[in-house]
Structure formats: C-alpha cells, structure tokens
Amino acid sequence: MKALALSLVGIAAASPFLRVRQNNDLESFIERQRNLSLPAVLRNIGGLNDSDVDGANPGIVVASPSTVNPNYFYTWTRDSALTYLMITDELLFGTERVGNNSLQVVIEDYTTAQAILQTVTNPSGSLWPAGAGLGEPKFYTNKTRFNGAWGRPQNDGPALRASAFIEATDAIFVRAPNASEIVANVYWPIILNDLNYVGQYWNTSSYDLWEEVNGNSFFTTTAQHRALVQGSILAEKLNQTCEPCQQAPEILCFLQNNFWNETGNYLLANINTNQVTRSEVNIDPILAAMHAFDINATCDAAALQPCNSRTLATHKVVIDSFRNLYPINENATAPTAVAVGRYPEDTYYTGNPWYITTLAAAEVLYDAIAQFRKNETLTVDETSLDFFTDLYPNATVGSYDGDDLENILDAVMEYADGFVEVVQKYTPENGTLNEQINKTTGEPTSAIALTWSFAAFITMAERRDGQFPPSWGASSELANNSTETCAASSYNATYSYQVAAAAGAPQVGTPRCMKEVLFVANYSSAFGNNLYIVGNNTLFGGDLMPELPIQVMRTGNKTETEPLSIVPAWVISPQTIEYRYVLQNETAGTYTFENKTMIVEVGPCDGEIQRVDDSPAFPGQ
C-alpha cells in the first residue's frame, strides 16, 4: 500500500451555487459540530490514534462503540462505504490531517481491510466461484465472519463500496494524472469484484438498508446504477473492460418504471416484498437521491436527482408522515421542520426520529438548491406543486428564474436549515450524536456515538457550505441510457481470489472444485414467519441444532401457486450434506425445528446446478 502515498489535498473548492442565509447561532453550531464530528468518526475506526474501538483492525469502521443495548460493535459494508465517501470528500476539500491522523492513511487502511474482507467466506457465501459472499452485510471488527442470524444478503454494500473506491481513484487522478498503474493494480481488482457482483445480482431480492425488508429497494437499485456508470468511466480511463457495467441500462429501466406511487405522489422504498404492514413511505428514496446527487446533472436526469419533482414530492410526503407521530414535533405544520424517522410504522426502539434521517431531510434540499441555482431555472409541475406551495404559497405550475427563483430558493433554504436546527436542539453539549432521538423527551437514545450520524452531519455541512464531490457521470450517455423494455438480465461474472493481491488480499492458492446446489423449499408460511435452513455445512452454520440459525431462505420466487423459498449454496464437491429446516416466528421470537434430517449427496462440479426440492413439515402442522 505504500504505492498509494500520493498527496491528494486541496483539489476541490467551494461552489458558488448556495447562498447561505445569515443565522449566527446556527452557523456557530454547524462549524463547531462539524469540527467535532470528523474526529468522532476517526475514533470509531481501528488502528488510529485516540481510537475508542480497541480490538478493531486498521481501516475497519465500527458502527458504534456500543456493545450492549444495542450491540453495534461490528463493521457493516454499507456504513463503512458511506463513511469513506465522506472521508474522501474531506480529503478533497483540503482536510488533510485531523489531530495525528492523516486521512490519506485512513483511506489506505480501508483499502487493505476491504480487500481482505472480500475474500472472507461467510454465511452469504464465498468470493470464489460465484461472488455470493460479497453480499454479506457485516463482520466482526477483526475481519472475521459473523455467524449470527441476520438479514442477508444485502446488495447495496458492494455497489456503495465500489463507488467509494472509484471516488478515491478520482482524487488520485486529479493530483497525479499518471497514476494509472497504481489505480489499475491496487484499486481496479477490488472495484471489479464488486461491479461483478452488482452486474450478476442486481435483479435478485435482498434486504434493504434498514435490514428489515427483503425485496427490491429503491436505495439499493440507485446505488447499483451509479456504481456501474462510475465503473464504466473508470474502466475507460484504465483501458480496461467493464462487462458488468453493461447492465446499467437494464437497472435504469427497472428504477424508472417500478417505484413511483402515482396515487400517493411518492417514491416507494421497496417493491416485490411480502411486507404487508407498511405504506412504503420511507426516507430511503431521499437517501438514494443524495447518493445519486451530481452537481452537473439536470433535474430531469434519468437517475433521480435531489431537484427532481418526484424527489421533492416524496420529501413532502415523508416529512408530513412524522409531523403528528412524535410528541416532540408538536403537530407542527409546514413550513416548520420537524424531527424525522425512517418510516412511520417503525417499531425499533419504539420508533423514534434519527439524526441520520433528520439531517438527510436538510441535505437533499441543499443539493436541490445548488442544482436549481446552477441551472438558473426552476420548474414547478403538478408533481412538485404541493412541496413548493408549503414553502412559497404563491408558487404555481410554471418556470421561474431571476428574482422569483431566488425568492423560492430562499424559502427552501430556510426550510432546510430548520431540520438542522432540530438536530441542534437535540444535540448534547459534547457533540455526541447517537443513533436516535427519543420521540417524547428529545434525549439521545439507542447506539451511542454512531459513526453514520457523524458522517451524515459532515456531508450535510459540506453541501450547505457549497462543497460537492466529483461528478460521478450522471450526465453521461450511459447514465441516461435506458432499455425500452425492462428485462431481468444479469452478467455471468467470474471471480478470483488472486486479483486483489496488490491491495493486501490474502493469496490462498488454487480453490477446490465447487458445485452450486440450489435448495428449494415449497412451503407457505404466514406473514412474520421466516424459513431457515441449518446443516453440517459451514454456510448453514455447521450444526443441525444450533442455538440460532444463520441462513434464512430467500422468498423472491414466491407466487400464489408456488410458495417457493430458495437458497443457493456453493459447496466443495463432492461431499455429503445433512440439513433440516427451521421456522421462525418473529413476533414470538421462537424457532421450530423440522423433525426430520435430510441428506444430499453433492455431485461432481460439472458446471450444472444441482437442485434439491423439499416440502418442509413442522410439528403440529
């Protein structure tokens, strides 16, 4: 990793596209809290000076130092990638050192840590031969597998990690235009692993970013589209080929045609789920728009931007859903900002507002303001009209420029600042940002010093200050090229343990012959029940009667006539696998094990998929 020792500092400047309103108290709070938040993030990363996470390996982002109620002392692929996107931004904006910690070294440590984690076999699978292990959401902080029951796979992680690394390479090229060899040898192999995963698995079901709903997520799909567009652009710079990136038009077609709720006038967070208790009014599409944000994009760009009418309409619906939900919001009406949660039906920790989501409500508006001002025009249509009339009652359908544009944007700016003022109200004097805000008392609650909360504050402050990350290509031809008819295509990827060696990945020699076995269970279960498979194979937990099962079946193939749950498993061939099914009742927190044990003889690794069909039966049924 010493080859990465390039000075990347001072290569971005503040943008003129935001006009900050004068509020000295808020300005002072933001400056102070931003200065506290970056060191707080670094204290949650292993291997650094003044780290608060003893035992975490260098470059590993710990979600929170909290080890009980809740235990967040793990590293999540998603949270880590979002954190490192922020760290790269800070490096680009000239924040070279924080105390004794160099942000450049922090990024190098992350690179090595993630190269290693890509090779760790886990309950989701392995890197070789099918890449399934890349979808594992979290690991222990010493870079070992987490075997507990969890919502897996989560397909946003590889996409976000690819984007984080690609932005790091953008920074390298700006400072050192001749760095192609370093980027090609160190970064591209890791990036390509993740892009392969995106291209291969984008159209399969996975858990959403809150790790609760299995289906297709707007946030995940947006992240996947961005990653493939970025990957294609980087591949061209390196004279490489990015075959999985050819899936970008299909992903865009799926994104554009499936998530809009015409009746409710908002973007759906998830589709193709068995979830029946939610409206799918959710902050997720707002977070997705923030991730898709590109200061060079227009409001009608194919990847929905913060200034897009559908994004703004969703913002109104989401914020309004929390106005009379939390006592601390006091039923406030627009244009008063309020504390914001994840979704109105949330019951985690009794369902509270979060720092992340309240800050997102502000950041996406700062993004939109910058885009409107850069484009020097703002169009109000029937979709966005209700959003704008809340803030500027004289708004009507039409286009605005000049003084009219500035008057509307001033109203939006004041509204956005209101969400930051909510965070200010509920931030303790020492600047610690927990995960949540108690909906009744306003006291910080849940996981302490949440890394993502601090990172969210910093990105909000960057955008408010007119600091924007490099363009990811939202205006490029590929980013706006959608197929006419959506198809459930995929890329048949090839993975290798060897390719990430320059970044620090372990060399394991020639992997043994592997066979794909598809376990298919025909079983109709009531809502709130999950079907697991356990067995003497390591992917299934290695135990026929574990305390907690780890491998939940995937329900994406369920229909009314064929209620199929599946789990693909790449296993060493030949071998004998003993297994049984387990039914979880989420409400009661109980597990019922099937009485019988099944046996499958894994055949030769001849390239054919071996399918095993079962009809599980449980005691009392």
Side-chain angles (χ1 to χ4, degrees):
M1 294 300 296
K2 294 299 183 184
L4 294 181
L6 300 170
S7 178
L8 310 180
V9 182
I11 60 178
S15 165
F17 301 123
L18 257 68
R19 185 173 68 186
V20 176
R21 70 188 182 109
Q22 293 303 309
N23 181 335
N24 291 335
D25 182 57
L26 183 63
E27 302 298 328
S28 297
F29 166 70
I30 293 175
E31 181 179 5
R32 179 178 183 273
Q33 186 62 39
R34 183 175 180 178
N35 289 335
L36 291 172
S37 292
L38 185 54
V41 167
L42 300 182
R43 285 196 296 272
N44 284 354
I45 297 178
L48 298 179
N49 298 291
D50 305 320
S51 174
D52 288 340
V53 286
D54 290 343
N57 285 181
I60 289 294
V61 178
V62 181
S64 161
S66 177
T67 57
V68 292
N69 299 324
N71 182 3
Y72 276 16
F73 205 86
Y74 299 96
T75 185
W76 272 263
T77 303
R78 173 197 312 105
D79 299 29
S80 299
L82 291 171
T83 298
Y84 272 92
L85 276 166
M86 177 277 295
I87 289 174
T88 302
D89 285 349
E90 286 292 281
L91 186 61
L92 290 170
F93 301 147
T95 309
E96 182 179 7
R97 301 185 70 85
V98 180
N100 293 320
N101 298 306
S102 165
L103 296 187
Q104 181 174 308
V105 172
V106 172
I107 293 173
E108 292 174 10
D109 287 347
Y110 171 73
T111 303
T112 300
Q114 296 304 309
I116 294 170
L117 283 177
Q118 283 188 343
T119 70
V120 175
T121 298
N122 54 67
S124 291
S126 56
L127 175 60
W128 190 88
L134 297 174
E136 179 67 9
K138 75 174 188 178
F139 297 84
Y140 287 112
T141 60
N142 62 355
K143 302 195 294 283
T144 58
R145 58 188 280 169
F146 169 73
N147 283 336
W150 209 253
R152 51 172 66 94
Q154 293 179 23
N155 290 348
D156 57 354
L160 293 169
R161 180 167 56 194
S163 290
F165 280 132
I166 292 171
E167 184 168 319
T169 67
D170 287 340
I172 291 173
F173 276 123
V174 169
R175 191 63 178 176
N178 297 321
S180 294
E181 184 176 353
I182 293 173
V183 173
N185 291 336
V186 177
Y187 280 102
W188 180 246
I190 313 172
I191 294 168
L192 187 58
N193 275 338
D194 283 335
L195 296 179
N196 279 336
Y197 183 92
V198 173
Q200 182 168 357
Y201 294 105
W202 72 266
N203 64 358
T204 63
S205 63
S206 71
Y207 279 84
D208 66 350
L209 81 164
W210 305 127
E211 308 185 299
E212 297 173 341
V213 176
N214 193 311
N216 296 105
S217 156
F218 184 84
F219 177 85
T220 297
T221 308
T222 298
Q224 291 169 329
H225 177 252
R226 170 179 163 171
L228 293 189
V229 171
Q230 287 180 283
S232 177
I233 294 171
L234 178 60
E236 187 174 350
K237 288 182 183 178
L238 299 176
N239 293 318
Q240 299 282 343
T241 300
C242 183
E243 294 184 4
C245 296
Q246 297 173 14
Q247 294 296 311
E250 293 292 356
I251 297 176
L252 181 59
C253 185
F254 181 71
L255 191 66
Q256 291 178 322
N257 289 281
N258 291 282
F259 289 93
W260 180 244
N261 184 316
E262 191 75 39
T263 304
N265 205 40
Y266 64 89
L267 290 162
L268 297 165
N270 300 285
I271 61 173
N272 299 329
T273 76
N274 62 351
Q275 180 66 260
V276 296
T277 60
R278 291 189 192 174
S279 62
E280 290 305 338
V281 172
N282 196 305
I283 197 69
D284 295 18
I286 301 302
L287 292 166
M290 287 163 46
H291 185 64
F293 169 64
D294 188 324
I295 190 58
N296 293 332
T298 60
C299 298
D300 60 355
L304 291 188
Q305 293 294 307
C307 63
N308 185 278
S309 292
R310 290 189 172 185
T311 302
L312 297 173
T314 303
H315 190 284
K316 172 180 168 53
V317 172
V318 171
I319 303 308
D320 284 352
S321 73
F322 295 108
R323 292 189 178 280
N324 62 1
L325 188 63
Y326 303 141
I328 61 173
N329 286 342
E330 299 178 342
N331 299 324
T333 58
T336 301
V338 293
V340 180
R342 301 187 298 176
Y343 52 90
E345 301 87 0
D346 195 1
T347 59
Y348 179 60
Y349 267 71
T350 74
N352 295 299
W354 288 39
Y355 289 99
I356 295 166
T357 51
T358 306
L359 290 164
E363 181 177 329
V364 76
L365 297 183
Y366 296 140
D367 293 342
I369 293 167
Q371 290 177 318
F372 286 132
R373 186 162 282 126
K374 182 178 182 184
N375 295 326
E376 298 182 341
T377 186
L378 181 155
T379 298
V380 178
D381 56 22
E382 293 291 346
T383 299
S384 62
L385 180 60
D386 287 346
F387 169 84
F388 284 109
T389 54
D390 273 351
L391 312 181
Y392 191 77
N394 292 331
T396 59
V397 172
S399 296
Y400 295 84
D401 56 19
D403 290 342
D404 291 333
L405 169 64
E406 291 304 324
N407 290 336
I408 293 175
L409 294 187
D410 283 347
V412 178
M413 187 75 184
E414 183 173 357
Y415 187 44
D417 279 356
F419 293 102
V420 185
E421 289 168 346
V422 171
V423 170
Q424 178 183 11
K425 181 178 180 180
Y426 300 117
T427 297
E429 184 63 26
N430 65 4
T432 296
L433 298 178
N434 283 18
E435 180 180 65
Q436 301 177 39
I437 304 164
N438 185 284
K439 61 186 175 184
T440 303
T441 67
E443 293 293 319
T445 189
S446 189
I448 61 171
L450 190 77
T451 308
W452 192 357
S453 294
F454 291 119
F457 191 94
I458 294 168
T459 58
M460 175 281 299
E462 290 172 349
R463 307 304 173 258
R464 189 178 187 273
D465 198 36
Q467 295 178 314
F468 308 121
S471 170
W472 59 267
S475 297
S476 67
E477 182 178 352
L478 181 60
N480 293 278
N481 180 22
S482 173
T483 54
E484 293 184 6
T485 303
C486 301
S489 63
S490 67
Y491 169 66
N492 187 18
T494 300
Y495 302 84
S496 171
Y497 278 114
Q498 308 298 323
V499 294
Q507 302 305 288
V508 296
T510 303
R512 295 177 64 180
C513 186
M514 305 285 279
K515 174 82 169 179
E516 184 176 14
V517 182
L518 191 67
F519 291 83
V520 181
N522 191 334
Y523 183 80
S524 182
S525 60
F527 175 76
N529 288 347
N530 295 314
L531 194 63
Y532 284 78
I533 185 170
V534 298
N536 61 357
N537 181 275
T538 56
L539 291 178
F540 297 161
D543 190 347
L544 288 168
M545 290 293 292
E547 183 176 350
L548 289 175
I550 64 172
Q551 190 60 267
V552 66
M553 306 286 286
R554 304 177 192 179
T555 58
N557 287 21
K558 281 195 173 186
T559 66
E560 291 183 3
T561 56
E562 263 194 318
L564 303 182
S565 296
I566 65 172
V567 61
W570 283 89
V571 298
I572 295 172
S573 171
Q575 69 168 298
T576 300
I577 296 177
E578 297 182 2
Y579 65 98
R580 63 174 57 186
Y581 293 98
V582 185
L583 188 64
Q584 177 199 30
N585 184 312
E586 283 189 317
T587 303
T590 58
Y591 295 87
T592 302
F593 286 74
E594 190 178 23
N595 284 332
K596 60 181 178 179
T597 298
M598 277 77 74
I599 298 176
V600 60
E601 298 291 342
V602 178
C605 48
D606 51 10
E608 299 294 325
I609 298 175
Q610 181 174 341
R611 178 173 170 137
V612 180
D613 289 273
D614 296 308
S615 295
F618 296 93
Q621 296 180 320

